[in-house]
Amino acid sequence: MRNAQNGVRRRIYTCPAVLGLCAIGLLLSGCASGPTPKEKLAAAYKELESPTPNYPAMIEASDTYLKETPTGPAAADALYLHGRALEGQAQQDVGGAQRDSVEAYNYYSQALTQKPRPALEGLIHVGMGNVLYFQDRYSAAVGELTAGYGKLERDTDKAWAMYRIGLCNQRMGHWAEADKYFAAVQQQFPNTDPALRAHEHQGATAFWVQVGTYATPAAADAATADLKRQGVASQR
């Protein structure tokens, strides 16, 4: 570099190799990126195994994938994952349960249109059955749970689906049919949580509803007598 004072022009020279290194550095830094949408989707799937799933993260990962490839090879997985997240939120948030439940069913329905592999199709039908169960649509729920059961691969999923079919029949007052499923859960999947719950429900032939709690036996007896006068079977 030649430098002069009093208005004389300045000329600056640099090494071409330095410019080349700078260009390479900029190129490499510009190419650096995080996980791909498919990798994010795979990571979000692991939340299903967590005791406290991060439902917003699951929804974000599924939406990111669907935005980039709405009919891509993992579209059915993304739609199913979004439905599972909404179903989970519906069971946690009483205020928004109805909205999330309806949206979950819609995402499950869309997932079926993406030609899912058999195992995923089974999970989608079971998801739809779960949503219908919580909407008190027990007959329709049995249809979806039954359609999905034969395609499930994991024993855990099969146990829960069979247990839920038993619950649906019990809610409809089909006591013998319910007991058949509860017994099957205990026989085929012993020492599991669904089997323990099935044992607790097995043998029921009616539902009891608590109508009140009273401070004295006399008040409870009076309420029981009043119910009996109305033709309602009751006991204290």
Side-chain angles (χ1 to χ4, degrees):
M1 177 178 70
R2 288 196 327 192
N3 192 1
Q5 300 294 330
N6 301 322
V8 179
R9 288 188 302 173
R10 299 177 180 179
R11 295 180 181 179
I12 301 176
Y13 301 91
T14 189
C15 175
V18 175
L19 289 175
L21 290 173
C22 291
I24 293 173
L26 290 171
L27 179 62
L28 291 176
S29 64
C31 292
S33 60
T36 65
K38 191 170 184 178
E39 290 171 341
K40 290 181 178 179
L41 188 65
Y45 249 92
K46 296 179 181 179
E47 288 292 327
L48 294 174
E49 307 300 328
S50 171
T52 56
N54 187 339
Y55 296 125
M58 293 163 62
I59 291 173
E60 181 183 2
S62 65
D63 286 349
T64 299
Y65 180 88
L66 292 169
K67 183 178 180 180
E68 182 173 293
T69 50
T71 57
D77 294 270
L79 289 164
Y80 168 73
L81 186 66
H82 196 135
R84 277 294 301 272
L86 289 169
E87 182 187 335
Q89 288 185 167
Q91 296 179 32
Q92 290 182 347
D93 179 16
V94 177
Q98 183 63 27
R99 180 194 67 249
D100 288 340
S101 180
V102 171
E103 289 188 13
Y105 189 90
N106 291 337
Y107 273 94
Y108 287 144
S109 298
Q110 292 178 55
L112 286 178
T113 67
Q114 297 298 316
K115 299 180 180 179
R117 60 192 179 280
L120 179 58
E121 182 182 351
L123 291 172
I124 293 168
H125 279 295
V126 168
M128 296 171 76
N130 288 338
V131 170
L132 291 168
Y133 169 82
F134 286 109
Q135 293 177 347
D136 300 331
R137 298 167 62 185
Y138 304 122
S139 180
V142 169
E144 292 294 346
L145 290 164
T146 303
Y149 182 85
K151 295 181 172 65
L152 298 174
E153 293 182 341
R154 300 191 310 171
D155 284 349
T156 300
D157 297 324
K158 291 180 180 180
W160 281 114
M162 186 178 289
Y163 166 70
R164 188 59 54 84
I165 292 173
L167 281 183
C168 288
N169 277 286
Q170 194 175 70
R171 293 295 190 272
M172 293 186 290
H174 302 163
W175 312 110
E177 188 73 5
D179 281 350
K180 182 182 74 174
Y181 281 101
F182 290 147
V185 174
Q186 296 172 73
Q187 180 180 5
Q188 297 179 34
F189 311 102
N191 302 318
T192 63
D193 195 23
L196 294 174
R197 296 192 186 191
H199 177 71
E200 293 174 356
H201 283 274
Q202 191 173 8
T205 57
F207 291 106
W208 291 93
V209 179
Q210 181 174 321
V211 296
T213 302
Y214 302 91
T216 65
D221 288 338
T224 300
D226 184 52
L227 287 170
K228 289 181 177 179
R229 281 193 295 271
Q230 298 177 49
V232 179
S234 60
Q235 67 180 28
R236 180 169 67 84

